[in-house]
Amino acid sequence: MKTITLKLYNFNQLDKEARQKALTTYQDLNIGFDWWDDEFEDFIELCSYMGIAVNKESIKFRGFYSQGDGSGFSAMVDIPKLVNAVANQSWKDYAPMQEFNFDVPQTDRRVMALVSGGLLPSEPQIISRSRQFGVVTNVGISEVIRDGKTHDNIFEELDKLEEWLRSVAEILNRHLYTSLEKQYDFLTSDTAIKESLLTNEYLFTADGRSANHLVELNKRTSKN
């Protein structure tokens, strides 16, 4: 039987080279779980202040830094509430520092009155693309018939409204992807990994090799 004695160190006690080795070993330490869930919840809450009810199960993303990366989401939209939110920056009740460069809808005010008054049956939606990332929109009205007549002029204004909704949805989708990217960058940063290693009391040999398994092995051996 041989007895081997090892001196173990926490992250701060390692030299520069050993610290870098430890950081490399644990570069995925903070992303080995559903780290994006809080970002999803934050996005859903933010959108709710604008009359946009996001379906959490519809949110998808792939990242980061590769061609084809992106995000998407689906939601039902309360158009009058959204228009009011854009005019009054209502989302700042939830996120005071958040800026969005939304345009004001250019739809004829008479048509907007019909929409706001519920006189045009519709189910406005933001829809996540099925085969790629990004969003499309649909105000849920294929034609306008009143008094037995088709009103193409109203439908043209609704096209403008749908285009405006699409611009809003794209801005929000970019915000979603950017927030995920920033969180990922933070969690995989040396600062965040170091904090996790210290908080969870990870131990290392002098050359920066993980030694937590040795501690656990010693505990089991001592019990026997």
Side-chain angles (χ1 to χ4, degrees), residues 37-50 52-57 59 94 176:
D37 197 64
D38 286 345
E39 298 306 310
F40 283 10
E41 293 291 349
D42 181 66
F43 180 70
I44 291 169
E45 187 68 14
L46 176 70
C47 288
S48 72
Y49 280 75
M50 292 179 269
I52 299 174
V54 177
N55 175 4
K56 185 177 181 180
E57 298 303 315
I59 302 176
Y94 175 72
L176 169 63

Side-chain angles (χ1 to χ4, degrees), residues 142-155:
S142 59
E143 61 180 354
V144 179
I145 300 177
R146 302 188 71 193
D147 301 324
K149 298 179 180 179
T150 300
H151 293 262
D152 291 339
N153 58 327
I154 296 180
F155 189 61

Side-chain angles (χ1 to χ4, degrees), residues 85-155:
V86 168
N88 298 292
Q89 299 188 344
S90 301
W91 67 85
K92 290 194 173 184
D93 290 341
Y94 175 72
M97 303 304 293
Q98 181 62 53
E99 300 289 346
F100 286 121
N101 188 28
F102 295 134
D103 293 326
V104 176
Q106 300 301 311
T107 307
D108 186 282
R109 60 182 178 80
R110 292 169 296 182
V111 174
M112 287 302 300
L114 293 174
V115 173
S116 298
L119 299 176
L120 294 177
S122 63
E123 292 185 345
Q125 297 181 63
I126 296 170
I127 306 166
S128 178
R129 293 182 182 274
S130 59
R131 296 187 178 180
Q132 57 187 327
F133 296 107
V135 290
V136 295
T137 54
N138 188 343
V139 295
I141 304 174
S142 59
E143 61 180 354
V144 179
I145 300 177
R146 302 188 71 193
D147 301 324
K149 298 179 180 179
T150 300
H151 293 262
D152 291 339
N153 58 327
I154 296 180
F155 189 61

